[in-house]
Amino acid sequence: MSVAIGETIPDLELPATGGKSIKLSDYRGQNLVLYFYPKASTPGCTQEGQDFRDAARDFDAANTRVLGASRDGVKAQENFKTKQSFPFDLVSDTDEVLCKAFDVIKMKKMYGKESLGVERSTFLIDKDGVLRQEWRQVKVKDHVAEVLEAAQRLAGG
């Protein structure tokens, strides 16, 4: 069962970059953009992360933190964050607990083969931990600008 818009998100705890263990409740009091990407250091995921990185000050100004998530291990997440100079943490969801809570594991087809993978998705969560907006089957181009606009609206109202 996944979280629906208007519901409080589960307070899951996951290993993250910087040797941290992050609980979703750590972000209470500020809005949170939680974005899921298929695989660290691949072209689309790199571009999406760079776009979030480049808009970090604007998200901060809207009292909104950014958190990236994938099924990659902590070491891969750490390398990805360091190489791309991301100013936000990345969580490692190797057990797919967070992915399942947000229903982002989908059947994907690549080179004629089907496999389960992370569908690029983004979730905007308010300062009280309530899911306010979601984007599924995300296309990277212009996505971060759209999420930023929504975060700014949420912060303003």
Side-chain angles (χ1 to χ4, degrees):
M1 192 161 128
S2 69
V3 183
I5 290 176
E7 291 181 356
T8 301
I9 61 167
D11 189 21
L12 300 173
E13 186 171 357
L14 292 147
T17 49
K20 296 181 215 161
S21 184
I22 289 180
K23 290 174 73 171
L24 294 179
S25 62
D26 294 343
Y27 294 92
R28 293 280 164 90
Q30 50 202 340
N31 300 321
L32 174 65
V33 168
L34 174 61
Y35 80 99
F36 290 86
Y37 53 93
K39 188 153 182 59
S41 301
T42 56
C45 300
T46 298
Q47 184 61 60
E48 184 179 27
Q50 290 170 340
D51 291 348
F52 275 114
R53 175 197 66 203
D54 295 347
R57 282 193 180 136
D58 295 324
F59 279 105
D60 283 347
N63 191 35
T64 303
R65 300 298 159 256
V66 174
L67 182 64
S70 76
R71 299 185 304 176
D72 294 292
V74 173
K75 188 174 191 314
Q77 297 288 50
E78 197 69 63
N79 291 341
F80 189 33
K81 177 182 176 176
T82 300
K83 185 173 183 185
Q84 300 303 327
S85 302
F86 294 155
F88 48 83
D89 284 306
L90 304 175
V91 295
S92 170
D93 189 22
T94 55
D95 294 332
E96 299 178 355
V97 175
L98 189 62
C99 289
K100 287 177 180 164
F102 285 86
D103 191 29
V104 300
I105 301 291
K106 303 292 181 184
M107 189 60 72
K108 300 169 93 178
K109 206 176 232 181
M110 190 176 226
Y111 307 118
K113 291 189 178 187
E114 287 189 341
S115 64
L116 286 173
V118 174
E119 176 182 77
R120 192 179 308 280
S121 307
T122 302
F123 300 88
L124 180 59
I125 300 151
D126 74 13
K127 61 184 175 49
D128 298 316
V130 176
L131 178 60
R132 291 298 172 197
Q133 197 164 344
E134 63 182 22
W135 293 261
R136 295 185 179 272
Q137 298 178 333
V138 166
K139 301 291 182 241
V140 173
K141 186 173 171 33
D142 300 323
H143 175 61
V144 170
E146 190 179 326
V147 175
L148 178 59
E149 283 179 29
Q152 290 168 330
R153 281 194 306 274
L154 186 60

